Amino acid sequence: MHENPPARRRSRSRREQRRRRRARRRRMTWAVTSVVILIGGFTTYAITESDSGESSSPAQAKAGGAPANPPEPLPSPTPTQKPFDLEPALAPVTALFGDNRMSVAMLDVESGAMATYGHDAFDTASIVKVDILATLLLQAQDQGRRLSTEERAQSAAMIQKSDNDSTSALWTQIGSAPGLDAANERLGLSQTQGGEGTAWGITQTTAEDQIRLLQSVFGDKSPLSEASRAYIQDLMRHVVGSQAWGVSAAADSGTTALKNGWLKRTQTKKWDVNSIGRIEHEGRVYLMAVLLNGCSTQEVGISIVEQATRASATAFARELREKSTT
Protein backbone atom coordinates (compact mmCIF):
# COMPACT_ATOMS: atom_id res chain seq x y z
CA MET A 1 0.00 0.00 0.00
CA HIS A 2 1.35 3.44 -0.89
CA GLU A 3 1.05 6.54 1.23
CA ASN A 4 -0.79 9.43 -0.30
CA PRO A 5 1.35 12.49 -1.24
CA PRO A 6 0.44 14.63 1.81
CA ALA A 7 1.39 11.77 4.15
CA ARG A 8 4.73 11.33 2.40
CA ARG A 9 5.39 15.04 2.67
CA ARG A 10 4.60 15.00 6.40
CA SER A 11 6.90 12.01 6.86
CA ARG A 12 9.73 13.71 5.00
CA SER A 13 9.13 16.90 7.02
CA ARG A 14 9.36 15.01 10.30
CA ARG A 15 12.57 13.29 9.20
CA GLU A 16 14.06 16.64 8.17
CA GLN A 17 13.14 18.18 11.53
CA ARG A 18 14.80 15.30 13.38
CA ARG A 19 17.93 15.65 11.20
CA ARG A 20 18.12 19.36 11.94
CA ARG A 21 17.68 18.80 15.68
CA ARG A 22 20.52 16.25 15.69
CA ALA A 23 22.75 18.66 13.78
CA ARG A 24 22.00 21.43 16.25
CA ARG A 25 22.83 19.15 19.16
CA ARG A 26 26.18 18.27 17.58
CA ARG A 27 27.01 21.94 17.26
CA MET A 28 26.01 22.81 20.80
CA THR A 29 28.77 23.96 23.13
CA TRP A 30 28.79 22.37 26.52
CA ALA A 31 27.73 24.85 29.17
CA VAL A 32 27.87 23.47 32.67
CA THR A 33 27.63 25.52 35.83
CA SER A 34 29.08 23.84 38.87
CA VAL A 35 30.74 24.60 42.18
CA VAL A 36 34.45 23.89 42.32
CA ILE A 37 35.26 21.78 45.36
CA LEU A 38 38.86 20.98 46.16
CA ILE A 39 39.13 17.58 47.79
CA GLY A 40 41.80 15.07 48.73
CA GLY A 41 44.39 14.65 46.04
CA PHE A 42 43.41 17.76 44.12
CA THR A 43 44.15 19.95 47.10
CA THR A 44 47.64 18.44 47.22
CA TYR A 45 47.96 18.94 43.50
CA ALA A 46 46.99 22.59 43.73
CA ILE A 47 49.71 23.15 46.33
CA THR A 48 52.56 21.22 44.75
CA GLU A 49 51.89 21.99 41.09
CA SER A 50 51.70 25.77 41.12
CA ASP A 51 54.58 28.06 40.38
CA SER A 52 54.95 31.82 40.44
CA GLY A 53 56.90 34.48 38.65
CA GLU A 54 56.53 37.26 36.15
CA SER A 55 55.92 36.79 32.46
CA SER A 56 58.75 37.76 30.16
CA SER A 57 56.31 39.46 27.80
CA PRO A 58 52.56 40.17 27.69
CA ALA A 59 50.44 38.32 25.17
CA GLN A 60 49.69 40.50 22.16
CA ALA A 61 47.37 38.41 19.98
CA LYS A 62 43.63 39.05 20.14
CA ALA A 63 41.76 36.17 21.70
CA GLY A 64 38.76 34.50 20.15
CA GLY A 65 38.60 36.70 17.05
CA ALA A 66 36.39 34.51 14.91
CA PRO A 67 33.05 34.79 13.09
CA ALA A 68 29.94 33.15 14.56
CA ASN A 69 30.03 30.34 12.01
CA PRO A 70 33.69 29.88 10.99
CA PRO A 71 34.65 27.23 8.46
CA GLU A 72 35.78 24.09 10.22
CA PRO A 73 38.33 22.04 8.28
CA LEU A 74 39.34 18.61 9.46
CA PRO A 75 42.05 18.50 12.14
CA SER A 76 45.61 18.12 10.93
CA PRO A 77 46.02 14.45 10.00
CA THR A 78 48.35 12.13 11.82
CA PRO A 79 51.05 10.97 9.37
CA THR A 80 50.32 7.58 7.84
CA GLN A 81 53.93 6.45 7.27
CA LYS A 82 55.51 4.24 9.90
CA PRO A 83 57.03 6.39 12.69
CA PHE A 84 60.76 6.36 13.36
CA ASP A 85 61.47 4.24 16.45
CA LEU A 86 63.16 6.26 19.19
CA GLU A 87 63.78 3.28 21.49
CA PRO A 88 67.48 2.75 20.58
CA ALA A 89 68.24 6.46 20.98
CA LEU A 90 66.51 6.54 24.36
CA ALA A 91 68.15 3.39 25.74
CA PRO A 92 70.73 5.34 27.82
CA VAL A 93 67.90 7.39 29.32
CA THR A 94 65.50 4.53 29.99
CA ALA A 95 68.30 2.61 31.69
CA LEU A 96 68.01 5.19 34.50
CA PHE A 97 64.24 4.79 34.86
CA GLY A 98 63.68 2.40 37.71
CA ASP A 99 59.91 2.54 38.20
CA ASN A 100 59.44 5.39 35.74
CA ARG A 101 57.36 5.18 32.57
CA MET A 102 57.82 7.48 29.59
CA SER A 103 56.41 8.20 26.15
CA VAL A 104 57.81 10.52 23.49
CA ALA A 105 56.37 11.73 20.18
CA MET A 106 57.89 14.10 17.62
CA LEU A 107 56.56 15.50 14.35
CA ASP A 108 58.79 17.06 11.69
CA VAL A 109 56.53 19.86 10.45
CA GLU A 110 58.03 20.09 6.95
CA SER A 111 57.93 16.41 5.99
CA GLY A 112 55.15 15.18 8.27
CA ALA A 113 57.42 12.38 9.50
CA MET A 114 56.85 11.10 13.03
CA ALA A 115 59.11 9.59 15.68
CA THR A 116 57.72 7.80 18.73
CA TYR A 117 58.59 5.89 21.86
CA GLY A 118 55.86 4.25 23.97
CA HIS A 119 52.10 4.51 23.54
CA ASP A 120 50.72 4.44 27.10
CA ALA A 121 48.31 6.97 28.57
CA PHE A 122 49.59 9.40 31.23
CA ASP A 123 48.27 12.06 33.59
CA THR A 124 48.46 15.40 31.84
CA ALA A 125 49.20 17.51 34.92
CA SER A 126 49.37 21.10 33.67
CA ILE A 127 49.94 20.43 29.97
CA VAL A 128 46.13 20.06 29.84
CA LYS A 129 45.98 23.84 30.19
CA VAL A 130 46.73 24.23 26.49
CA ASP A 131 43.79 21.93 25.75
CA ILE A 132 41.54 23.88 28.13
CA LEU A 133 42.42 27.14 26.38
CA ALA A 134 41.85 25.60 22.95
CA THR A 135 38.44 24.43 24.15
CA LEU A 136 37.56 27.86 25.53
CA LEU A 137 38.53 29.55 22.26
CA LEU A 138 36.64 27.00 20.18
CA GLN A 139 33.51 27.60 22.27
CA ALA A 140 33.96 31.37 21.94
CA GLN A 141 34.21 30.96 18.16
CA ASP A 142 30.95 29.00 18.15
CA GLN A 143 29.31 31.81 20.09
CA GLY A 144 30.71 34.46 17.71
CA ARG A 145 32.50 36.38 20.45
CA ARG A 146 35.92 37.33 21.75
CA LEU A 147 37.20 36.34 25.15
CA SER A 148 36.24 38.69 27.95
CA THR A 149 38.81 40.72 29.87
CA GLU A 150 38.55 38.26 32.77
CA GLU A 151 38.93 35.24 30.47
CA ARG A 152 42.03 36.75 28.89
CA ALA A 153 43.57 37.41 32.29
CA GLN A 154 42.79 33.88 33.45
CA SER A 155 44.11 32.38 30.21
CA ALA A 156 47.39 34.29 30.44
CA ALA A 157 47.88 33.28 34.08
CA MET A 158 47.01 29.66 33.26
CA ILE A 159 49.52 29.28 30.42
CA GLN A 160 52.32 31.68 31.33
CA LYS A 161 52.40 31.11 35.11
CA SER A 162 50.58 27.76 35.30
CA ASP A 163 48.14 29.31 37.77
CA ASN A 164 45.77 26.67 39.14
CA ASP A 165 43.00 28.95 40.39
CA SER A 166 42.60 30.44 36.92
CA THR A 167 42.64 26.95 35.44
CA SER A 168 39.92 25.71 37.78
CA ALA A 169 37.71 28.67 36.87
CA LEU A 170 38.15 28.06 33.15
CA TRP A 171 37.73 24.29 33.59
CA THR A 172 34.28 24.93 35.10
CA GLN A 173 33.43 27.44 32.40
CA ILE A 174 34.16 25.10 29.50
CA GLY A 175 31.98 22.41 31.05
CA SER A 176 34.75 20.41 32.75
CA ALA A 177 35.53 17.00 31.24
CA PRO A 178 32.44 16.82 28.95
CA GLY A 179 33.32 20.20 27.45
CA LEU A 180 36.95 19.24 26.96
CA ASP A 181 36.07 15.87 25.45
CA ALA A 182 33.57 17.43 23.03
CA ALA A 183 36.16 19.94 21.82
CA ASN A 184 38.79 17.22 21.49
CA GLU A 185 36.58 15.30 19.06
CA ARG A 186 36.80 18.33 16.78
CA LEU A 187 40.52 18.83 17.42
CA GLY A 188 41.29 15.24 16.46
CA LEU A 189 42.32 13.96 19.90
CA SER A 190 41.09 10.38 20.18
CA GLN A 191 43.16 9.17 23.16
CA THR A 192 42.48 11.94 25.69
CA GLN A 193 39.84 11.85 28.43
CA GLY A 194 39.10 14.69 30.81
CA GLY A 195 39.64 14.21 34.53
CA GLU A 196 36.63 13.60 36.76
CA GLY A 197 35.00 16.47 38.62
CA THR A 198 37.42 19.28 39.38
CA ALA A 199 40.54 17.13 38.88
CA TRP A 200 41.63 18.51 35.52
CA GLY A 201 45.26 17.55 36.28
CA ILE A 202 44.52 13.83 36.01
CA THR A 203 43.11 14.09 32.50
CA GLN A 204 44.52 11.11 30.62
CA THR A 205 46.38 11.54 27.33
CA THR A 206 49.07 10.07 25.09
CA ALA A 207 52.14 11.69 23.57
CA GLU A 208 50.73 11.19 20.07
CA ASP A 209 47.47 12.91 21.04
CA GLN A 210 49.47 15.85 22.34
CA ILE A 211 51.08 16.11 18.91
CA ARG A 212 47.58 16.28 17.42
CA LEU A 213 46.75 19.10 19.84
CA LEU A 214 49.93 20.95 18.87
CA GLN A 215 49.03 20.49 15.20
CA SER A 216 45.72 22.23 15.88
CA VAL A 217 47.55 25.06 17.65
CA PHE A 218 50.46 25.54 15.22
CA GLY A 219 49.11 24.15 11.95
CA ASP A 220 46.84 25.76 9.36
CA LYS A 221 44.33 22.90 9.16
CA SER A 222 42.53 23.41 12.43
CA PRO A 223 39.05 24.13 13.78
CA LEU A 224 40.72 26.98 15.67
CA SER A 225 40.70 30.30 13.85
CA GLU A 226 43.94 32.03 12.90
CA ALA A 227 43.42 34.57 15.71
CA SER A 228 42.79 31.82 18.26
CA ARG A 229 45.90 29.92 17.19
CA ALA A 230 48.03 33.06 17.33
CA TYR A 231 46.78 33.79 20.84
CA ILE A 232 47.73 30.36 22.21
CA GLN A 233 51.09 30.44 20.42
CA ASP A 234 51.97 33.82 21.92
CA LEU A 235 51.16 32.70 25.46
CA MET A 236 53.21 29.52 25.02
CA ARG A 237 56.18 31.58 23.81
CA HIS A 238 56.15 33.70 26.94
CA VAL A 239 55.96 31.34 29.91
CA VAL A 240 57.77 32.50 33.04
CA GLY A 241 61.48 31.81 33.08
CA SER A 242 61.27 29.26 35.89
CA GLN A 243 59.02 27.10 33.68
CA ALA A 244 61.02 27.32 30.43
CA TRP A 245 62.48 23.80 30.75
CA GLY A 246 61.61 20.53 29.05
CA VAL A 247 61.40 20.35 25.25
CA SER A 248 63.33 23.62 25.07
CA ALA A 249 66.45 21.62 26.01
CA ALA A 250 66.69 20.43 22.39
CA ALA A 251 66.09 23.83 20.81
CA ASP A 252 69.14 25.47 19.28
CA SER A 253 67.55 28.35 17.38
CA GLY A 254 64.41 30.41 17.17
CA THR A 255 61.78 30.82 19.84
CA THR A 256 60.42 27.84 21.74
CA ALA A 257 56.72 27.69 22.53
CA LEU A 258 55.93 25.25 25.31
CA LYS A 259 53.82 24.22 28.28
CA ASN A 260 55.05 21.99 31.07
CA GLY A 261 53.26 20.02 33.75
CA TRP A 262 54.34 18.53 37.06
CA LEU A 263 52.22 16.73 39.61
CA LYS A 264 52.98 14.89 42.85
CA ARG A 265 50.51 12.04 43.28
CA THR A 266 48.98 11.89 46.73
CA GLN A 267 49.07 8.14 47.23
CA THR A 268 52.39 7.16 45.67
CA LYS A 269 54.25 10.42 46.43
CA LYS A 270 55.76 10.04 42.94
CA TRP A 271 55.93 12.82 40.39
CA ASP A 272 54.49 13.16 36.89
CA VAL A 273 56.62 15.49 34.75
CA ASN A 274 55.55 16.40 31.19
CA SER A 275 56.56 18.85 28.49
CA ILE A 276 54.98 19.74 25.13
CA GLY A 277 55.77 22.39 22.55
CA ARG A 278 57.24 23.62 19.30
CA ILE A 279 61.03 23.77 18.91
CA GLU A 280 63.58 24.51 16.20
CA HIS A 281 66.51 22.10 16.00
CA GLU A 282 69.23 22.07 13.34
CA GLY A 283 67.18 24.17 10.97
CA ARG A 284 63.99 22.12 11.24
CA VAL A 285 60.76 22.75 13.14
CA TYR A 286 59.39 20.01 15.38
CA LEU A 287 56.31 19.53 17.51
CA MET A 288 57.26 17.45 20.53
CA ALA A 289 55.69 15.80 23.57
CA VAL A 290 57.47 14.01 26.42
CA LEU A 291 55.35 12.39 29.14
CA LEU A 292 56.92 10.84 32.24
CA ASN A 293 55.68 9.47 35.54
CA GLY A 294 56.99 7.66 38.60
CA CYS A 295 59.76 10.16 39.41
CA SER A 296 61.17 10.41 42.92
CA THR A 297 61.34 14.22 42.70
CA GLN A 298 60.33 16.94 40.28
CA GLU A 299 63.99 17.77 39.64
CA VAL A 300 64.78 14.18 38.67
CA GLY A 301 61.78 14.21 36.34
CA ILE A 302 62.90 17.43 34.64
CA SER A 303 66.38 16.01 34.13
CA ILE A 304 65.03 12.81 32.53
CA VAL A 305 62.62 14.75 30.30
CA GLU A 306 65.40 17.00 29.05
CA GLN A 307 67.77 14.09 28.44
CA ALA A 308 65.03 12.32 26.49
CA THR A 309 64.30 15.50 24.55
CA ARG A 310 67.91 15.97 23.44
CA ALA A 311 68.44 12.30 22.58
CA SER A 312 65.22 12.11 20.59
CA ALA A 313 65.84 15.31 18.63
CA THR A 314 69.42 14.31 17.79
CA ALA A 315 68.43 10.83 16.58
CA PHE A 316 65.40 12.02 14.61
CA ALA A 317 67.36 14.83 12.92
CA ARG A 318 70.04 12.33 11.91
CA GLU A 319 67.38 9.99 10.47
CA LEU A 320 65.82 12.81 8.45
CA ARG A 321 69.21 13.90 7.09
CA GLU A 322 70.04 10.36 6.01
CA LYS A 323 66.69 9.99 4.28
CA SER A 324 67.11 13.28 2.45
CA THR A 325 70.47 12.18 1.00
CA THR A 326 69.28 8.80 -0.28
Side-chain angles (χ1 to χ4, degrees), residues 215-232:
Q215 284 179 285
S216 287
V217 171
F218 292 95
D220 294 332
K221 294 180 180 179
S222 171
L224 293 166
S225 69
E226 182 178 358
S228 293
R229 297 195 306 272
Y231 181 63
I232 303 175

Side-chain angles (χ1 to χ4, degrees), residues 180-202:
L180 188 83
D181 293 344
N184 282 342
E185 286 188 18
R186 298 164 64 182
L187 295 168
L189 279 66
S190 59
Q191 301 168 339
T192 300
Q193 184 174 1
E196 293 185 5
T198 60
W200 42 262
I202 57 172

Side-chain angles (χ1 to χ4, degrees), residues 132-153:
I132 292 172
L133 181 52
T135 299
L136 177 69
L137 289 165
L138 200 55
Q139 292 178 353
Q141 289 176 201
D142 292 344
Q143 297 160 9
R145 68 176 182 86
R146 298 182 185 277
L147 298 189
S148 68
T149 300
E150 182 179 21
E151 288 170 333
R152 290 195 299 272

Side-chain angles (χ1 to χ4, degrees), residues 110-129:
E110 181 180 355
S111 68
M114 281 278 290
T116 61
Y117 169 80
H119 303 283
D120 293 341
F122 291 76
D123 298 331
T124 56
S126 279
I127 61 171
V128 75
K129 294 172 181 179

Side-chain angles (χ1 to χ4, degrees), residues 246-262:
V247 296
S248 57
D252 53 17
S253 64
T255 301
T256 298
L258 57 75
K259 182 70 191 82
N260 297 322
W262 54 103

Side-chain angles (χ1 to χ4, degrees), residues 258-300:
L258 57 75
K259 182 70 191 82
N260 297 322
W262 54 103
L263 163 62
K264 186 177 183 180
R265 297 308 304 266
T266 305
Q267 293 183 342
T268 65
K269 309 302 181 183
K270 300 291 187 179
W271 285 79
D272 300 334
V273 181
N274 305 322
S275 185
I276 64 171
R278 175 193 181 277
I279 66 170
E280 295 181 28
H281 177 82
E282 296 184 4
R284 303 185 78 101
V285 176
Y286 298 99
L287 304 179
M288 190 169 192
V290 182
L291 310 180
L292 175 69
N293 70 17
C295 304
S296 57
T297 67
Q298 181 184 355
E299 291 73 21
V300 167

